Amino acid sequence: MKRRSIVKYAAVAAAMSLGLTACSGGGGGSDQAKESGTVRVTLANHVWTEGIKAAIPEFEKSSGLKVELTQLGEDQLSDQYNVKLNAGSDEIDVMMYRPLQEGKAFAKNGYLADLTKNVSSDSGWDWKDYQEGPVKATTVEGKVVGVPIITEREVLYYRKDLLQAAGLQVPKTMEELEAAAKAIKASSPDTAGFVARTGKSTAVTQFSSFLYSFGGDFMDSSGKASVNTDAAKKAYAYYGGLIRNYGPANVSTDMSWPEAMAIFTQGGAAFYTEADSLYKNATDPAKSKVADKVGFAALPAGPAGSKPYNIPSWALGVNQNSSNTDNAWKFIQWATSKERTLAAQKAGVPGPRTSVWSNPEGTSTYPKDLAEAISASAKNGVGHDRPEVVTVGKAREIVGAPIVASITGADAAAAANDAQTAFQTFLDSEKK
Amino acid sequence: MSVLNPPRSTGTRRPSGPVGAGGHFSAWANRHRKWLFAAPAMIFVGVLIVFPLAWTVYLSLTDSQGSVRAATDFIGLQNYITVLSDTERFWPAVGRTLAFTGVALAFEVVLGMCVALLLWRPFRGEKWVRVAILLPLVATPVAVGMMWRLIFDPNIGFANQLLGMVGIPPQPWLSGQDTALGTTIFMDVWQWTPMVVLILLAGLTSLSDEPDEAARVDGANAFQRFFFITLPLMMPTVIVAILLRGIDALKTFDILYATKGKGGGSFHEVETLNVYAYGLSFDYNQYGLSSAVLILFFMIIIGTMWLLTMRKKAVGK
């Protein structure tokens, strides 16, 4: 074939392989007339979204606005924001985002509108009602850039029947948890003693509570990396060891919550540590084979006590480039009102409002032991569950490496030392 | 291009009469018709290929990160130096990309040839078999990835249950550090062999029967006829199949991303160049570095294609 065909193939290949970055160059949006009557809302697939979706006609009726809803999986949502917000698109008005994952980066890039005035303008809606941790996470450099909608704490999910059969108490400390997991694995080899997330990046958030409970953190108070302290090394060895020694038989190092939850809800494990906001997956008979046998407890205490994370996992923000900011705020104001938060919380979404938590109705639908575990965790919880940096994705991969090393039986302490060097280099590069 | 260039005389043989605006336009259009007809294609190439390519080259020379609209500094070839000296992620990704493509391609071509030979001669139920073979081809790669991910799940997957029935211990498949790449290659072979079959079958059916018959008369057996007659005649088609499928395999992304996610798994076990560049862009927001990787990747593709095209030329002679 002639030279021209090479050029042709080259051109096609270029278009395909470079499509990735091409997306970020294009996009844009049409010049909208000021304040359109349609609010374009982008939400993640989440139980909170299901509730709000059902209630949207109510909002449309009372406000006279139309809501155009886009719903995406977590990763797709994140990629979508990267492309559209990078291109300065005005196609999104209201966006559901993760304050701890993307908040800093989005605020730094100027993607999120300043909502400080909006939140303080309506005393009936009451910004002061919001818990301190969530408010901190959605406030960047003194500006409020989002309204938290869901809070999460790590709790212990366990199987009442298996514990009873083995004559075990609900573990209160990390040692007791390990002993119980060992006992159950020994008595029934087909059932794992313990299961949790194992993917390098995905496990970081759930590992964080273990790290805090052993007395460590990802960074010290001066902002230096601290993933190779004695406490951190012990935490890595403990978390990985639990999974390696008492986890499912063919454990993979790719599990996020859907895989780990599947093992637990299929009856494959006695203990599982996970976010409380996912509890419905375990107690809903349509999704869980062990729905009536699941118990909840606060995260067992490590050498530094029981210190689970207590974080706002999702918030609503307004796209800085939206030409529809007033109506976008109207939507947020409605979606996060006391009534809606109460309704969401009753449907199984732990909210960020103090008044809803102090209202007995707010926890009326929760299993009693879960409500107790949440209330205990809220008291001594830590406000972050991953390194608080701009490029969270990369940081998670670095600090997550010792977790998988530990799960696979490699030298976790050596991996922690490597991670320390890499993480410090990363932190230095972010400061530049 | 010469085909589009009409004999000069056609433009002058127009009926005479008052020349309005429309007349002016048609005269102009007639004079420039080779550009006019090519314009849509040229605009397409410009907007969708040249611009992104140029933009990517530009980004690769800057320290763009965080947001592509943020202020950036021109840093020359620094990104390329960083990438080319990265033995932790980049070079292993190059190795995996080539291994994935090479192994998948070898299996697909050999298997494809076998199946095409089976389907070559008419037989009963031929239509049904052809439809069945085409089924994997019509599925979306992401869906294919999700499906195999479920089948290969180490705990609840069908594959291990099946092995259990015949007394073989469960295998790690996608979750194993050493087995993951092989498993994704298997998935690629499963999905794309039918395409190779289609191309080779088209080639086979266009072959003349005479050389084969002559060899048969001379007493050549089936193997001799295949290796000395059919295969050499088929070489140009085989290279087209390798070229088309090779480019595709180099670019594989969906199957890998759907099965192992960002970074190609906890140990980057299936991280090819595409997956790596994607992670740099969408997870790390390092657009400069990502662009450098993509440009280098682009060069690898061009190089591979050039080699194959040369080969096809040599065979075609």
Side-chain angles (χ1 to χ4, degrees):
Chain A
M1 259 211 267
K2 352 286 165 280
R3 182 184 271 155
R4 219 190 303 156
S5 54
I6 301 181
V7 175
K8 194 172 77 190
Y9 280 123
V12 172
M16 302 280 191
S17 63
L18 300 173
L20 282 177
T21 41
C23 307
S24 53
S30 55
D31 273 332
Q32 282 276 321
K34 289 265 177 244
E35 293 299 324
S36 109
T38 303
V39 185
R40 284 162 301 183
V41 181
T42 304
L43 303 177
N45 290 335
H46 193 283
V47 49
W48 181 86
T49 304
E50 295 313 315
I52 216 75
K53 207 160 92 178
I56 279 177
E58 205 179 277
F59 169 72
E60 290 183 322
K61 210 171 155 194
S62 65
S63 66
L65 296 167
K66 202 180 162 314
V67 175
E68 206 175 278
L69 183 69
T70 309
Q71 213 180 321
L72 294 162
E74 267 179 47
D75 282 346
Q76 286 74 28
L77 187 78
S78 194
D79 295 348
Q80 178 98 186
Y81 287 155
N82 261 323
V83 173
K84 287 199 169 164
L85 302 178
N86 246 324
S89 166
D90 65 352
E91 284 167 30
I92 301 171
D93 296 325
V94 177
M95 48 195 271
M96 182 165 165
Y97 77 101
R98 294 172 287 181
L100 292 165
Q101 184 77 17
E102 296 129 350
K104 272 200 174 186
F106 283 6
K108 189 175 167 231
N109 295 339
Y111 295 161
L112 295 168
D114 183 359
L115 301 175
T116 317
K117 273 191 193 144
N118 302 70
V119 295
S120 49
S121 63
D122 181 356
S123 56
W125 175 78
D126 200 2
W127 180 234
K128 292 205 176 74
D129 188 25
Y130 278 80
Q131 293 170 357
E132 196 189 325
V135 165
K136 212 177 124 206
T138 53
T139 308
V140 181
E141 288 166 5
K143 288 179 192 158
V144 177
V145 292
V147 178
I149 47 178
I150 303 142
T151 60
E152 276 180 12
R153 290 135 298 263
E154 185 163 0
V155 294
L156 181 69
Y157 292 54
Y158 66 89
R159 283 274 301 281
K160 291 179 193 164
D161 57 328
L162 292 177
L163 259 68
Q164 203 174 13
L168 294 163
Q169 293 293 315
V170 179
K172 291 227 165 12
T173 65
M174 294 284 181
E175 282 119 18
E176 285 173 20
L177 173 64
E178 185 167 3
K182 189 177 179 183
I184 284 173
K185 179 89 172 176
S187 63
S188 54
D190 289 343
T191 312
F194 177 83
V195 70
R197 301 186 193 183
T198 60
K200 181 160 72 171
S201 187
T202 53
V204 168
T205 50
Q206 309 311 305
F207 165 74
S208 70
S209 299
F210 287 79
L211 180 63
Y212 310 148
S213 301
F214 271 84
D217 203 334
F218 299 109
M219 289 184 262
D220 62 19
S221 50
S222 61
K224 293 255 180 249
S226 63
V227 288
N228 72 339
T229 57
D230 279 351
K233 282 180 179 167
K234 277 184 194 147
Y236 279 123
Y238 178 83
Y239 186 88
L242 267 187
I243 294 168
R244 184 176 72 248
N245 298 323
Y246 318 116
N250 310 301
V251 74
S252 81
T253 49
D254 291 325
M255 288 200 291
S256 183
W257 76 264
E259 292 84 10
M261 181 67 87
I263 293 177
F264 184 74
T265 53
Q266 293 297 306
F271 294 105
Y272 173 38
T273 52
E274 187 54 78
D276 51 11
S277 59
L278 297 171
Y279 85 92
K280 281 255 161 160
N281 290 282
T283 57
D284 179 355
K287 294 180 182 167
S288 170
K289 277 190 187 170
V290 293
D292 54 340
K293 302 181 182 109
V294 178
F296 298 92
L299 190 83
S306 168
K307 286 191 167 177
Y309 61 76
N310 177 20
I311 52 128
S313 45
W314 291 95
L316 293 181
V318 174
N319 176 11
Q320 172 81 57
N321 282 310
S322 158
S323 51
N324 208 11
T325 44
D326 286 349
N327 288 333
W329 172 250
K330 272 185 202 152
F331 177 84
I332 295 182
Q333 210 173 9
W334 165 78
T336 57
S337 64
K338 286 179 182 167
E339 301 77 49
R340 284 273 6 123
T341 307
L342 177 64
Q345 188 153 315
K346 279 167 79 178
V349 183
R353 280 184 179 272
T354 321
S355 65
V356 174
W357 281 110
S358 53
N359 180 351
E361 217 189 319
T363 48
S364 59
T365 56
Y366 284 61
K368 198 169 157 278
D369 51 356
L370 179 63
E372 281 164 15
I374 290 177
S375 121
S377 310
K379 276 184 205 125
N380 44 17
V382 177
H384 58 277
D385 65 348
R386 63 201 85 188
E388 292 175 289
V389 293
V390 177
T391 315
V392 179
K394 190 168 188 180
R396 282 175 78 153
E397 284 203 356
I398 297 172
V399 300
I403 304 177
V404 279
S406 178
I407 292 171
T408 52
D411 187 347
N417 287 334
D418 291 346
Q420 170 75 11
T421 315
F423 192 39
Q424 188 55 53
T425 313
F426 165 83
L427 289 175
D428 293 341
S429 76
E430 282 227 323
K431 280 196 193 116
K432 277 180 197 162
Chain B
M1 288 295 184
S2 58
V3 181
L4 288 170
N5 210 356
R8 267 271 172 257
S9 58
T10 51
T12 55
R13 238 187 291 141
R14 293 180 54 78
S16 55
V19 180
H24 273 306
F25 176 74
S26 59
W28 178 87
N30 250 344
R31 273 201 310 281
H32 297 97
R33 80 168 82 159
K34 73 172 176 187
W35 296 112
L36 212 56
F37 281 116
M42 278 159 54
I43 293 170
F44 176 83
V45 168
V47 172
L48 290 171
I49 298 171
V50 178
F51 171 72
L53 187 59
W55 178 249
T56 309
V57 171
Y58 163 73
L59 276 182
S60 76
L61 301 173
T62 68
D63 63 352
S64 170
Q65 59 175 325
S67 165
V68 283
R69 290 181 300 150
T72 52
D73 284 331
F74 186 80
I75 53 166
L77 294 175
Q78 189 52 48
N79 283 328
Y80 290 92
I81 297 169
T82 311
V83 168
L84 289 172
S85 55
D86 172 15
T87 50
E88 212 178 305
R89 299 280 289 270
F90 178 75
W91 285 110
V94 171
R96 273 183 227 111
T97 308
L98 297 179
F100 181 92
T101 307
V103 178
L105 208 52
F107 272 103
E108 282 161 19
V109 170
V110 173
L111 256 178
M113 183 59 99
C114 296
V115 178
L117 285 172
L118 278 176
L119 295 178
W120 187 14
R121 305 289 178 214
F123 60 92
R124 231 174 163 200
E126 185 190 350
K127 271 187 193 163
W128 293 107
V129 175
R130 285 191 186 198
V131 169
I133 281 179
L134 284 181
L135 281 180
L137 202 58
V138 294
T140 316
V142 172
V144 169
M146 305 270 236
M147 175 187 86
W148 284 107
R149 183 178 166 166
L150 274 179
I151 293 176
F152 285 131
D153 185 282
N155 290 292
I156 49 174
F158 178 65
N160 276 346
Q161 288 179 11
L162 205 66
L163 288 187
M165 282 179 206
V166 288
I168 302 174
Q171 300 299 315
W173 305 115
L174 282 168
S175 56
Q177 235 172 298
D178 311 319
T179 51
L181 191 64
T183 311
T184 52
I185 290 176
F186 164 80
M187 285 153 53
D188 193 79
V189 171
W190 178 85
Q191 179 160 37
W192 294 110
T193 303
M195 188 180 116
V196 180
V197 172
L198 275 188
I199 298 172
L200 296 182
L201 199 56
L204 280 175
T205 43
S206 67
L207 286 188
S208 147
D209 284 340
E210 283 154 20
D212 193 63
E213 275 164 20
R216 203 185 288 255
V217 171
D218 287 343
N221 65 27
F223 281 99
Q224 287 168 328
R225 291 202 317 274
F226 174 72
F227 283 108
F228 297 110
I229 310 285
T230 315
L231 193 57
L233 286 174
M234 280 289 287
M235 263 338 253
T237 319
V238 170
I239 289 183
V240 166
I242 291 179
L243 199 67
L244 289 175
R245 189 55 216 128
I247 298 167
D248 242 15
L250 274 173
K251 297 192 290 122
T252 303
F253 175 76
D254 332 38
I255 285 183
L256 305 175
Y257 190 74
T259 48
K260 297 290 283 182
K262 281 177 180 161
S266 283
F267 297 93
H268 309 301
E269 52 268 47
V270 302
E271 186 174 71
T272 58
L273 279 176
N274 240 349
V275 178
Y276 181 45
Y278 183 85
L280 281 176
S281 265
F282 288 92
D283 210 13
Y284 298 177
N285 300 119
Q286 290 179 318
Y287 304 110
L289 266 189
S290 170
S291 302
V293 170
L294 283 171
I295 294 295
L296 290 169
F297 184 28
F298 178 56
M299 285 160 143
I300 293 177
I301 295 181
I302 301 273
T304 318
M305 276 184 321
W306 181 76
L307 282 177
L308 283 170
T309 322
M310 287 295 116
R311 180 81 200 123
K312 183 163 186 292
K313 224 171 168 181
V315 171
K317 271 179 187 166

